[in-house]
């Protein structure tokens, strides 16, 4: 079945497949925000995009959750000259991750020591990689930052590592200049997120594809 949309068309093997994948998308985005909350609360540094968001928070006084949404929407504006098409998952990513991160920060206590903070950060990092696998495997379109990367790759013809490095490096530098927190957690994220996503994403994708195929075969004629 095909769901008509002004966004990227959504394809599903059955109505149940669509519902299950949509639920997976929402769970993935919620957990992604929770993971960000754990990493921020850990207090040992954050990912480059969160260095930027927290730097802007420092300068503006806007809350972290709201600033995360604002940054995502600004990134989506950069899609326009790149002629990137959004998916439903792209829009929900921009709107839902920030509030779930703010909720996590409201609940999580301050770490009692740097060791507790480090453990919180590492848990958040692993959870973020798992959540990334969930929402990507749901196949409702890329997140705002991923779409920026692929759009620039298509425009410039540069390799993925070069485009990703330039984006992350520029964001990190700007965030640092604005007063965002840079620490050992920033380094752990830089070297750890790729392998962790590589661990979770293929497995989650295979399970999701197998489930979608099964639901398609069970669909009444």
């Amino acid at each position: 079945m095909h769901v008509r949309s002004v966004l990227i068309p959504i394809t599903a093997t059955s109505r149940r497949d669509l519902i299950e994948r949509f639920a997976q998308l929402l769970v993935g985005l919620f957990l992604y925000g929770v993971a960000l909350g754990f990493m921020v609360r850990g207090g040992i540094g954050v990912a480059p995009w969160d260095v930027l968001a927290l730097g802007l928070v420092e300068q503006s006084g806007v809350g972290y959750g709201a600033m995360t949404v604002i940054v995502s929407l600004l990134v989506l504006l950069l899609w326009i000259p790149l002629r990137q098409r959004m998916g439903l998952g792209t829009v929900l990513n921009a709107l839902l991750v920030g509030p779930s991160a703010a909720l996590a920060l409201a609940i999580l206590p301050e770490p009692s020591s740097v060791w507790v903070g480090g453990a919180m950060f590492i848990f958040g990092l692993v959870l973020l990689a798992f959540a990334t696998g969930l929402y990507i495997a749901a196949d409702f379109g890329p997140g705002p930052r991923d779409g920026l990367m692929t759009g620039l790759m298509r425009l410039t013809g540069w390799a993925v590592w070069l485009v990703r490095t330039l984006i992350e490096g520029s964001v990190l530098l700007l965030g640092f200049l604005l007063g965002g927190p840079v620490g050992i957690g920033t380094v752990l994220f830089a070297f750890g997120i790729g392998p962790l996503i590589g661990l979770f994403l293929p497995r989650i994708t295979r399970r999701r594809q197998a489930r979608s195929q099964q639901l398609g075969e069970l669909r009444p004629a």
Side-chain angles (χ1 to χ4, degrees), residues 26-66:
L26 294 180
V27 171
L29 294 177
F30 175 75
L31 292 180
Y32 193 101
V34 171
L36 291 180
F38 268 94
M39 291 193 292
V40 171
R41 186 63 79 213
I44 63 169
V46 291
W49 282 100
D50 290 305
V51 174
L52 174 61
L54 289 169
L56 291 169
V57 167
E58 185 73 19
Q59 298 299 319
S60 68
V62 175
Y64 169 69

Side-chain angles (χ1 to χ4, degrees), residues 54-164:
L54 289 169
L56 291 169
V57 167
E58 185 73 19
Q59 298 299 319
S60 68
V62 175
Y64 169 69
M67 185 57 71
T68 299
V69 173
I70 292 170
V71 170
S72 295
L73 294 176
L74 290 175
V75 171
L76 286 181
L77 290 178
L78 297 177
W79 283 36
I80 297 174
L82 296 174
R83 297 183 180 179
Q84 287 284 91
R85 294 183 65 192
M86 291 185 292
L88 177 61
T90 310
V91 178
L92 292 179
N93 183 305
L95 297 178
L96 298 183
V97 168
S100 61
L103 176 62
L105 283 172
I107 295 173
L108 291 171
E110 293 286 345
S112 57
S113 69
V114 67
W115 301 108
V116 174
M120 292 175 71
F121 180 91
I122 291 173
F123 174 78
L125 180 62
V126 175
L127 180 61
L128 186 135
F130 174 71
T132 299
L134 283 180
Y135 90 74
I136 289 179
D139 196 23
F140 281 94
R145 295 155 185 79
D146 295 326
L148 175 62
M149 179 186 69
T150 56
L152 287 172
M153 286 171 55
R154 189 183 67 251
L155 180 67
T156 63
W158 295 345
V160 59
W161 70 266
L162 178 57
V163 173
R164 187 63 179 256

